[in-house]
């Protein structure tokens, strides 16, 4: 009987270790996605540079529209159903995890973002 209890505890500990490792891997993908997105936005060949490269007015319009959308999202965060807000935040986190995977794959294959 004692050996069965030891085996069950070992399986529970192993399950906890695997779950923590998966959580750490997911966290690293999300952080890579956030960092890669910030780099893509602010780099010299980034999205803002491409927007302002066409013309100053087009870049200002693109940047202003992004700021307007971010501001509206900030003010509307308390409206709506809690389940929908949770679903949207889950999509955001999983989206950054997917972006992190893409950025890491691109960095691994090309050596650059």
């Amino acid at each position: 009987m004692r050996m069965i209890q030891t085996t069950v505890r070992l399986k529970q500990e192993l399950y906890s270790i695997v779950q923590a490792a998966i959580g750490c891997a997911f966290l690293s993908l999300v952080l890579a996605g956030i960092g890669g997105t910030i780099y893509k936005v602010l780099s010299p060949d980034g999205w803002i540079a491409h927007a302002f490269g066409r013309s100053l007015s087009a870049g200002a319009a693109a940047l202003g529209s992004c700021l307007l959308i971010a501001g509206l999202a900030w003010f509307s965060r308390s409206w709506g159903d809690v389940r929908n807000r949770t679903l949207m935040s889950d999509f955001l986190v999983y989206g950054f995890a997917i972006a992190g995977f893409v950025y890491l794959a691109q960095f691994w294959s090309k050596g650059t973002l």
Side-chain angles (χ1 to χ4, degrees), residues 26-77:
F26 187 75
L27 176 67
S28 65
L29 285 176
V30 171
L31 290 176
I34 292 171
T37 303
I38 290 171
Y39 177 77
K40 287 281 195 177
V41 168
L42 298 178
S43 70
D45 289 334
W47 298 332
I48 292 178
H50 283 303
F52 281 104
R54 294 183 194 111
S55 70
L56 183 63
S57 63
L63 195 59
S65 64
C66 289
L67 289 174
L68 181 66
I69 290 171
L72 289 174
W74 178 264
F75 286 118
S76 68
R77 72 181 187 269

Side-chain angles (χ1 to χ4, degrees), residues 13-31:
E13 291 295 324
L14 190 60
Y15 178 75
S16 297
I17 290 170
V18 169
Q19 194 173 15
I22 291 171
C24 287
F26 187 75
L27 176 67
S28 65
L29 285 176
V30 171
L31 290 176

